[in-house]
């Protein structure tokens, strides 16, 4: 595996299809179907739950259970209020950024299909440059070309409709993947690639592997919280994104120094089990996989926290993919980092023994 390229043309086709599909928090199931279809040849069975988390399982009969996990949902908006003259005000579904909204095209999801809209914004000529309003949640609005509220409703748009951005996947300068929702469908992609490699390399694991694509991470780790009670794992290796802190207006003294192209980011945090983290670091060093370190404070803010504090405590660790411009429509990651996260998870799995407790007292 040392010099072999992991991501192939079929992988890229899957990644593109998976990223381009809208999968807002609470409405993840169409994306999950795409993911499960890709994963199907590489697993023995699937588990799904009431809210849409999907799990591909290898060796479902094994007593010792290891989770590798990403989350499937993307940030979005909800229709919150429709004015008499047919304009739409929104609330967040996850950490949607009001500052990037003006002039963005949107897809409003209705029972009759997609209704297009635009986040309008007053022209520069009409604004007072001494006292300009910046975009805020109470002044951004969507225009769908309707003359009044009645026409909006006739188009199938109502309070509670979910809204996503249509921005699609492309490759920048040959090795940067750009799209909305790389946070964290890249995670789902990477764990699926781990399953593919295990299958192609005929690796027989001595434990059950639960390739878990959780829902509802963006609103509080809720999907992971639910599915960990179903799986009851012994170990969880979570993958999510973290910030590239080398771009302008980011304070490294607060955010630390991590950057795209320099390898997976391994977290230090109370929720991260130290022995499991050291196993991952030793794996990276043995296999010459570049990596970076990041310190979190009270929590990681990822599904790691949900797994770690479940079921009386589950040995959990976090391997992050550095990303630029999080929660925008141009989230950017480096292909080499994607490959190295896949490699690091894959190689770490091969080092886990099925009787390993990771106890500090053994």
């Amino acid at each position: 595996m040392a010099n072999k390229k992991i991501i192939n043309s079929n992988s890229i086709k899957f990644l593109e299809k998976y990223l381009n599909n809208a999968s807002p928090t609470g409405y993840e199931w169409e994306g999950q179907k795409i993911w499960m279809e890709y994963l199907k040849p590489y697993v023995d069975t699937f588990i799904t739950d009431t809210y849409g988390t999907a799990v591909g399982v290898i060796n479902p009969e094994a007593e010792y259970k290891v989770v590798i996990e990403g989350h499937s949902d993307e940030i979005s908006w909800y229709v919150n209020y429709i004015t008499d003259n047919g304009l739409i005000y929104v609330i967040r579904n996850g950490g949607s950024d009001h500052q990037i909204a003006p002039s963005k095209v949107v897809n409003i999801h209705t029972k009759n299909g997609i209704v297009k809209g635009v986040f309008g914004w007053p022209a520069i000529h009409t604004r007072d440059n001494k006292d300009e309003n910046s975009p805020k949640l109470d002044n951004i609005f969507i225009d769908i070309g309707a003359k009044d509220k009645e026409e909006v409703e006739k188009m199938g748009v109502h309070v509670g409709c979910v809204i996503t951005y249509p921005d699609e996947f492309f490759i920048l300068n040959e090795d940067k993947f750009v799209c909305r929702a790389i946070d964290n469908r890249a995670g789902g992609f990477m764990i699926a690639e781990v399953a593919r490699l295990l299958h192609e390399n005929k690796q027989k694991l001595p434990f059950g592997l639960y390739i878990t694509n959780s829902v509802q991470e963006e609103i509080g780790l809720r999907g992971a919280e639910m599915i960990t009670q179903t799986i009851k794992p012994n170990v969880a290796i979570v993958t999510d994104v973290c910030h590239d802190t080398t771009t302008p207006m980011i304070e490294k003294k607060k955010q630390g120094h991590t950057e795209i192209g320099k390898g997976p980011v391994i977290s230090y945090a109370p929720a991260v089990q130290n022995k499991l983290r050291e196993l991952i670091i030793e794996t990276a060093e043995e296999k010459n996989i570049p990596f970076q370190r990041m310190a979190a404070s009270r929590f990681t803010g990822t599904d790691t926290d949900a797994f770690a504090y479940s079921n009386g405590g589950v040995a959990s660790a976090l391997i992050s993919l550095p990303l630029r411009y999080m929660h925008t429509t141009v989230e950017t990651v480096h292909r080499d980092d994607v490959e190295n996260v896949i490699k690091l998870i894959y190689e770490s799995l091969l080092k886990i023994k099925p009787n390993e407790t990771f106890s500090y007292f053994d």
Side-chain angles (χ1 to χ4, degrees):
M1 284 253 306
N3 299 310
K4 185 181 170 188
K5 284 289 178 192
I6 290 168
I7 298 171
N8 59 34
S9 58
N10 196 44
S11 307
I12 293 289
K13 281 181 197 164
F14 162 57
L15 177 61
E16 182 167 8
K17 184 179 181 182
Y18 185 46
L19 282 170
N20 288 351
N21 174 79
S23 190
T25 302
Y27 297 83
E28 298 94 344
W29 59 86
E30 291 302 329
Q32 296 289 53
K33 289 175 186 175
I34 293 168
W35 183 80
M36 291 166 77
E37 186 61 31
Y38 182 78
L39 197 60
K40 196 173 182 180
Y42 313 127
V43 298
D44 298 320
T45 189
F46 284 99
I47 299 169
T48 55
D49 72 7
T50 307
Y51 280 87
T53 290
V55 185
V57 187
I58 298 170
N59 302 337
E61 304 304 319
E63 282 187 30
Y64 194 88
K65 300 174 183 178
V66 177
V67 161
I68 55 174
E69 193 260 8
H71 73 82
S72 59
D73 58 317
E74 64 181 287
I75 56 170
S76 55
W77 302 98
Y78 280 122
V79 174
N80 186 48
Y81 171 64
I82 304 166
T83 68
D84 290 341
N85 64 340
L87 298 175
I88 294 165
Y89 285 83
V90 297
I91 57 170
R92 293 185 176 97
N93 185 19
S96 303
D97 189 347
H98 50 277
Q99 291 210 21
I100 69 157
S103 84
K104 291 298 297 180
V105 175
V106 296
N107 287 336
I108 304 178
H109 298 259
T110 78
K111 283 185 179 175
N112 305 321
I114 298 292
V115 172
K116 286 282 182 188
V118 295
F119 270 113
W121 194 246
I124 189 169
H125 323 66
T126 67
R127 304 197 308 260
D128 181 351
N129 61 11
K130 291 177 190 167
D131 189 27
E132 279 199 312
N133 279 321
S134 58
K136 300 186 184 86
L137 202 56
D138 62 3
N139 68 11
I140 58 173
F141 63 90
I142 292 171
D143 188 337
I144 62 170
K147 66 180 182 296
D148 55 27
K149 183 176 183 177
E150 186 181 5
E151 189 175 0
V152 170
E153 290 171 344
K154 275 185 183 168
M155 293 168 75
V157 176
H158 55 74
V159 169
C161 283
V162 72
I163 304 156
T164 58
Y165 294 116
D167 302 69
E168 296 197 335
F169 172 83
F170 68 96
I171 297 175
L172 186 69
N173 193 23
E174 298 185 352
D175 57 9
K176 315 300 186 306
F177 297 156
V178 181
C179 197
R180 54 163 240 295
I182 286 176
D183 173 14
N184 179 33
R185 286 213 277 289
F189 170 75
M190 292 186 296
I191 59 176
E193 291 294 272
V194 171
R196 176 176 67 82
L197 291 176
L198 289 167
H199 178 83
E200 289 178 356
N201 296 335
K202 297 181 169 55
Q203 291 286 355
K204 301 294 181 190
L205 296 173
F207 48 75
L209 182 65
Y210 290 72
I211 303 117
T212 303
N213 210 9
S214 298
V215 297
Q216 300 195 20
E217 187 273 350
E218 295 290 358
I219 50 90
L221 324 181
R222 298 308 188 190
E225 193 176 282
M226 290 183 273
I227 200 65
T228 189
Q229 306 300 335
T230 302
I231 298 170
K232 298 191 175 357
N234 299 90
V235 179
I237 297 174
V238 173
T239 185
D240 206 327
V241 294
C242 66
H243 304 289
D244 176 322
T245 63
T246 66
T247 56
M249 296 185 287
I250 297 176
E251 176 53 71
K252 289 181 189 172
K253 288 176 187 173
K254 288 183 181 177
Q255 301 292 337
H257 183 138
T258 46
E259 59 185 294
I260 65 170
K262 294 295 180 77
V265 179
I266 297 173
S267 276
Y268 289 71
V272 173
Q273 215 279 347
N274 294 303
K275 284 196 167 187
L276 177 58
R277 185 195 59 242
E278 290 309 304
L279 179 147
I280 292 167
I281 288 173
E282 286 164 16
T283 302
E285 289 170 344
E286 283 173 21
K287 299 296 178 180
N288 295 313
I289 300 168
F291 69 94
Q292 307 172 77
R293 290 181 168 92
M294 178 173 70
S297 182
R298 296 177 64 186
F299 48 82
T300 70
T302 72
D303 283 337
T304 313
D305 303 334
F307 280 95
Y309 301 130
S310 72
N311 299 292
V314 173
S316 300
L318 173 60
I319 301 172
S320 298
L321 175 68
L323 172 144
R324 288 181 170 179
Y325 321 123
M326 196 182 295
H327 287 204
T328 73
T329 56
V330 291
E331 294 183 333
T332 303
V333 296
H334 199 298
R335 180 185 182 125
D336 291 351
D337 294 334
V338 175
E339 292 218 336
N340 280 318
V341 170
I342 295 165
K343 198 182 294 185
L344 184 53
I345 296 172
Y346 174 92
E347 297 289 356
S348 296
L349 288 176
L350 299 184
K351 286 178 72 77
I352 295 174
K353 297 179 177 65
N355 58 352
E356 181 59 74
T357 65
F358 295 99
S359 171
Y360 298 132
F361 306 103
D362 289 348

